[in-house]
Amino acid sequence: VTKSTTSQMGAMERAAREMGATTRYTAAQAAEGLLILSRAGLSAQQAIQTLPAVLSMALVGMTSLKIAADVVVNTMYQFDLAVEDAVRITDAFVNITNKTNTDIIQLAEGMKYAGSIAGLLGIELEETSAALGILANRGIKSSLAGTKLRGVLLALVNPTKKGRDAIKQMGLSVESVNPEIVGMTKAFENLRDANMQVTDAHKIFNRLNAAAAATLVNSSDQVAILTKYLQENADAAREAGEIIDDTLL
């Protein structure tokens, strides 16, 4: 299934045995995780490095190894992250589910639609997660949240003529609300400080995305606070996993 050499296969087997001895998962389950990661395009060494984060994601998120592996690997590709960032990804997902009204599966569904465009615009994982979490608090979750956030970002990066006119009438330049230039949260803050109204939101984001845009603009302070929290609080997945282990013993 993989192109690993005999020595690499030996390393994967040893890693699976180690995870089987030190985590709630068996060696067979850990080996399954390595296989899933290899099929996702990771090398043997990359799969070994990523496995602990995947096991942690599966445990804390109460989901399958397949789903956890997909979430971690997809997020790596969306935000151009390295395998060394696997724990960062897991921590971001766990923290956001602890702080907002969403879960790992719903957040992953949102990332499926918004993650790639956010990554291309240089918006970090934590900031994107925060925006999806804030939308979730308003009942906009899962793929709907991702679709709405993607629409909001695209409307600011490449506004229509009606949108450009509305932005200028608010006393702003198009560049001052372009998330690729000033950052996503700063773009929301600029719109908020210019007192964006519902009619403005409809012109800039169209009626389908206006409500989500208004939520993010009016909650830009919360997006910033939540982003900072995600950036500064590591080890969330490990700590949550330890609590689960202690509870289930």
Side-chain angles (χ1 to χ4, degrees), residues 161-180:
K161 182 181 184 306
K162 183 186 293 186
R164 288 196 300 272
D165 290 343
I167 291 168
K168 291 176 181 177
Q169 287 171 7
M170 292 170 62
L172 298 169
S173 67
V174 172
E175 291 76 18
S176 70
V177 297
N178 185 332
E180 189 173 19

Side-chain angles (χ1 to χ4, degrees), residues 2-14 44 48:
T2 72
K3 296 181 180 179
S4 303
T5 64
T6 302
S7 63
Q8 289 172 330
M9 290 300 292
M12 293 175 76
E13 182 177 350
R14 289 191 296 274
I48 291 170

Side-chain angles (χ1 to χ4, degrees), residues 131 134-135 138 149 152 156 170 172 177 184-198 200-201 204-205 209-224:
I134 294 300
L135 288 175
R138 304 300 190 275
L149 179 56
V152 168
L156 292 175
M170 292 170 62
L172 298 169
V177 297
M184 181 178 69
T185 304
K186 183 61 176 176
F188 295 156
E189 289 172 347
N190 288 342
L191 287 165
R192 179 204 61 198
D193 293 344
N195 197 29
M196 185 185 79
Q197 301 297 308
V198 173
D200 300 319
I204 299 169
F205 302 101
N209 297 316
T215 294
L216 292 168
V217 168
N218 293 332
S219 304
S220 54
D221 284 348
Q222 295 175 47
V223 174

Side-chain angles (χ1 to χ4, degrees), residues 24-75:
R24 180 171 292 277
Y25 293 94
T26 66
Q29 289 173 317
E32 177 192 357
L34 288 170
L35 182 59
I36 293 168
L37 291 168
S38 297
R39 285 173 171 167
L42 301 189
S43 69
Q45 185 56 41
Q46 289 174 327
I48 291 170
Q49 288 180 260
T50 307
L51 181 61
V54 169
L55 297 180
S56 182
M57 174 83 78
L59 175 63
V60 177
M62 298 181 185
T63 187
S64 70
L65 291 176
K66 174 68 169 64
I67 291 175
D70 283 346
V71 170
V72 173
V73 174
N74 289 346
T75 306

Side-chain angles (χ1 to χ4, degrees), residues 108-191:
E109 279 297 305
M111 284 293 185
K112 185 185 297 183
Y113 293 89
S116 293
I117 184 64
L120 287 172
L121 295 176
I123 302 167
E124 292 193 354
L125 164 65
E126 291 81 4
E127 192 176 9
T128 307
S129 299
L132 290 171
I134 294 300
L135 288 175
N137 284 347
R138 304 300 190 275
I140 305 172
K141 303 182 180 183
S142 196
S143 58
L144 179 61
T147 303
K148 297 297 184 184
L149 179 56
R150 180 181 64 189
V152 168
L153 293 174
L154 291 175
L156 292 175
V157 171
N158 187 26
T160 62
K161 182 181 184 306
K162 183 186 293 186
R164 288 196 300 272
D165 290 343
I167 291 168
K168 291 176 181 177
Q169 287 171 7
M170 292 170 62
L172 298 169
S173 67
V174 172
E175 291 76 18
S176 70
V177 297
N178 185 332
E180 189 173 19
I181 296 173
V182 301
M184 181 178 69
T185 304
K186 183 61 176 176
F188 295 156
E189 289 172 347
N190 288 342
L191 287 165

Side-chain angles (χ1 to χ4, degrees), residues 98-118:
N98 287 339
K99 288 293 183 179
T100 64
N101 188 23
T102 189
D103 59 35
I104 284 175
I105 300 299
Q106 292 173 336
L107 183 58
E109 279 297 305
M111 284 293 185
K112 185 185 297 183
Y113 293 89
S116 293
I117 184 64

